[in-house]
């Protein structure tokens, strides 16, 4: 162990957290849009439009079948277009957001589908608009499941930041490759892995806690 | 108040089409409790769900108050629905909202200001006897209490009509009785027109003024409730009344025996 370890780790962790936070944010925005569209345009739902539903579904399957490391390479020009560079954490956010949004879209679709048809029907009978049904019924009713799903997705994004790190995005993944692997710094290798494990653990525990407290408030009988 | 003319509805299934409603004609007077009775699969739910267009009829016409329900769409239809309350067999309350917010939902949807919503929610919770439950979540309520919330929610926006799709079928007899009493009470206090469907003769007998008997998607008998008991004409009506009579006879027999011992 050398005395640069802590500084290197700290810097890498900050980059990783930066990537996770913004990628999660944009991925969530995109994923929510996709997930909501998938559900409400489906057969018998409030905004049925099967061609739209099928197209989105195909698109999602398409993007999801591309290995992430290849997707990053494909999306490099887009990163350059949007943030002006194809290197570093900020550039990686573009690829991370777009790459993980389809996965999140599916997770959100599944959570929203769990909301019973009866509740939606009751809202329609009350004269609620499609937007009101989406934001006041579908999302709030599915909230515990959504939180659990989003937690899984953020952990997925964390893994992807490590992969992106390997090809120049910075962060913990990049530290592990550049120092741990290429310069045989075992201490750095072990420390980065440890930090990533702790990070994933913390995200999972936080997600579980939030989902559980929402669920308990609604369903626990004193 | 409600006029239904030649209402027809078919369902397309993989096995062909099912004629669920066959040229239904119906008239419900303002302020009355109108019961529709029929056996399972007769088309009761389809009929009541057509009244607020949860189900799209193939043809025919529905008028409620001044609105031609069958001719509305989009925003106009939503506005008409805001004046038609509905309660359901399985309550369909929002589990993520407290009693207060469940009842406030239709008011928020209709765009009322917050202070007005607060006053109205408390007023209506008082009416259904749940003033002390406004902070509870549906999971913390009994079936009867849930249906009271359902009724409060349906009444919140001061509707002209209340539709009830087997609202007491998931409840025990005693709770059923209290919910029926509540509906009767509301009907009188608010002069609210109520259309309810049921497969229980007791429900009809207890609170309805008029009734229609539906059989295979057709109205086979209609008129005041007494007529059904005194002079049932249709097959369905005779069966319903017959079953009731049998039980009465049996009960009298058993009670008579008990008295003799
Ligand atoms: N969504 C649907 N798709 C296909 N057929 C349907 C659908 N809903 C109802 N039906 C059919 O239409 C007919 C009338 O059904 P409906 O639900 O109105 O009966 P009901 O009188 O309410 O019966 P129950 O007392 O069992 O609720 C039945 O033959 C039923 O199978
Ligand atoms: Mg039914």
């Amino acid at each position: 162990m050398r005395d640069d370890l802590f500084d290197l780790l700290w810097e890498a962790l900050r980059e990783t957290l930066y990537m996770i936070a913004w990628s999660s944010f944009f991925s969530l925005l995109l994923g929510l849009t996709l997930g909501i569209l998938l559900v409400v345009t489906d057969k018998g739902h409030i905004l049925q439009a099967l061609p739209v539903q099928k197209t989105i579904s195909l698109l999602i399957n398409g993007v999801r079948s591309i290995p992430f490391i290849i997707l990053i390479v494909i999306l490099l020009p887009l990163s350059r277009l949007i943030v002006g560079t194809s290197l570093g954490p900020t550039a990686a956010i573009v690829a991370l957001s777009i790459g993980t949004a389809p996965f999140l879209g599916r997770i959100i679709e599944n959570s929203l589908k769990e909301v019973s048809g009866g509740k939606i029907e009751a809202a329609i009978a009350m004269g609620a608009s499609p937007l009101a049904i989406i934001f006041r019924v579908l999302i709030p009713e599915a909230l515990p499941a959504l939180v659990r799903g989003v937690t899984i997705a953020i952990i997925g994004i964390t893994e992807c930041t490590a992969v992106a790190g390997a090809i120049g995005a910075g962060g913990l993944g990049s530290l592990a490759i550049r120092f741990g692997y290429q310069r045989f710094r075992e201490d750095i290798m072990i420390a980065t892995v440890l930090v990533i494990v702790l990070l994933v653990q913390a995200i999972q525990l936080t997600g579980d806690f939030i989902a559980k407290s929402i669920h308990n408030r609604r369903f626990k009988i004193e | 108040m409600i006029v239904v003319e030649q209402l027809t509805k078919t369902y397309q299934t993989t096995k062909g089409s099912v004629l669920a409603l066959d040229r239904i004609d119906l008239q419900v007077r303002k302020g009355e409790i109108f019961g529709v009775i029929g056996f399972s699969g007769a088309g009761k739910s389809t009929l009541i769900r057509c009244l607020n267009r949860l189900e799209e009829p193939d043809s025919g016409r529905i008028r409620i108050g001044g609105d031609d329900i069958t001719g509305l769409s989009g925003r106009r239809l939503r506005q008409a629905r805001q004046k038609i309350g509905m309660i359901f067999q399985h309550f369909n309350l929002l589990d993520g909202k407290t009693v207060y917010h469940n009842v406030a939902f239709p008011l928020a949807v209709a765009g009322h200001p917050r202070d007005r919503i607060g006053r109205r929610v408390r007023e209506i919770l008082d009416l259904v006897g749940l003033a002390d439950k406004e902070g509870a979540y549906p999971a913390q309520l009994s079936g009867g209490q849930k249906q009271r919330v359902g009724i409060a929610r349906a009444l919140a926006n001061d509707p002209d009509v209340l539709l009830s799709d087997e609202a007491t079928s998931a409840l025990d007899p005693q709770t059923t009785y209290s919910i029926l009493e509540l509906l009767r009470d509301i009907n009188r206090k608010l002069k609210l027109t109520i259309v309810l469907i049921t497969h229980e003769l007791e429900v009809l007998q207890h609170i309805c003024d008029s009734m229609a008997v539906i059989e295979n998607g057709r109205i086979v008998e209609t008129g005041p409730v007494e007529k059904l008991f005194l002079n049932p004409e249709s097959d369905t009506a005779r069966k319903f009344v017959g079953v009731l009579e049998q039980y009465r006879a049996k009960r009298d027999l058993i009670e008579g025996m008990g008295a003799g011992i």
Side-chain angles (χ1 to χ4, degrees), chain B residues 11-13 18 20 38-47 166 197 199:
Chain B
Y11 287 109
Q12 304 302 334
T13 66
V18 182
F39 289 112
S40 186
K44 305 183 293 294
S45 295
T46 309
L47 173 58
E166 305 265 9
I197 63 168
H199 57 254

Side-chain angles (χ1 to χ4, degrees), chain A residues 169-189:
Chain A
L172 291 164
S174 149
L175 185 67
I177 295 286
R178 281 187 295 126
F179 287 79
Y181 178 66
Q182 288 165 352
R183 299 186 202 171
F184 309 107
R185 285 281 301 270
E186 250 171 55
D187 58 335
I188 287 187
M189 192 58 132

Side-chain angles (χ1 to χ4, degrees), chain B residues 5 17 21 76 80 104 122 130 136 146 165 167 183 194-195 225-226 257:
Chain B
E5 286 164 0
S17 65
L21 296 178
R76 301 273 314 281
R122 297 208 167 85
L130 282 180
K146 281 182 195 163
D165 186 349
L183 289 177
I194 301 180
V195 179
V225 170
E226 300 79 51
M257 274 160 54

Side-chain angles (χ1 to χ4, degrees), chain A residues 118-119 121-130 136-137 140-141 217-222, chain B residues 49 52 54 78 81-82 84 88 92-97 105-106 108-109 137 139-140 153:
Chain A
K119 291 176 185 174
E121 220 159 51
I124 296 174
M126 284 182 267
S129 64
R136 290 171 190 249
V137 178
E141 287 299 297
R217 197 176 59 218
R218 291 178 180 186
F219 295 104
K220 207 161 185 178
I221 298 157
E222 293 94 55
Chain B
R49 290 160 56 80
N52 61 357
L54 281 182
R78 291 200 292 274
R81 280 170 171 160
Q82 288 169 8
I84 307 172
F88 304 86
N92 296 344
L93 300 179
L94 300 174
D95 296 316
K97 292 183 175 22
F105 183 85
V109 158
Y137 284 87
Q140 295 153 353
R153 180 174 72 172

Side-chain angles (χ1 to χ4, degrees), chain B residues 82 84-87 106 149-159 161-162:
Chain B
Q82 288 169 8
I84 307 172
M86 190 172 204
I87 52 177
V149 178
I151 292 171
R153 180 174 72 172
L155 296 180
N157 205 23
D158 202 15
V161 181
L162 179 70

Side-chain angles (χ1 to χ4, degrees), chain B residues 116-174:
Chain B
R116 179 123 159 259
I117 293 179
R119 254 181 290 128
R120 180 65 183 156
V121 171
R122 297 208 167 85
E123 191 179 291
I124 213 82
L125 283 178
D126 242 3
L127 181 71
V128 301
L130 282 180
D132 56 330
K133 293 284 179 199
E134 70 168 58
Y137 284 87
Q140 295 153 353
L141 303 176
S142 71
Q145 288 171 331
K146 281 182 195 163
Q147 196 56 288
R148 280 168 192 271
V149 178
I151 292 171
R153 180 174 72 172
L155 296 180
N157 205 23
D158 202 15
D160 308 317
V161 181
L162 179 70
L163 307 177
S164 160
D165 186 349
E166 305 265 9
T168 57
S169 298
L171 305 172
D172 64 55
Q174 208 169 346

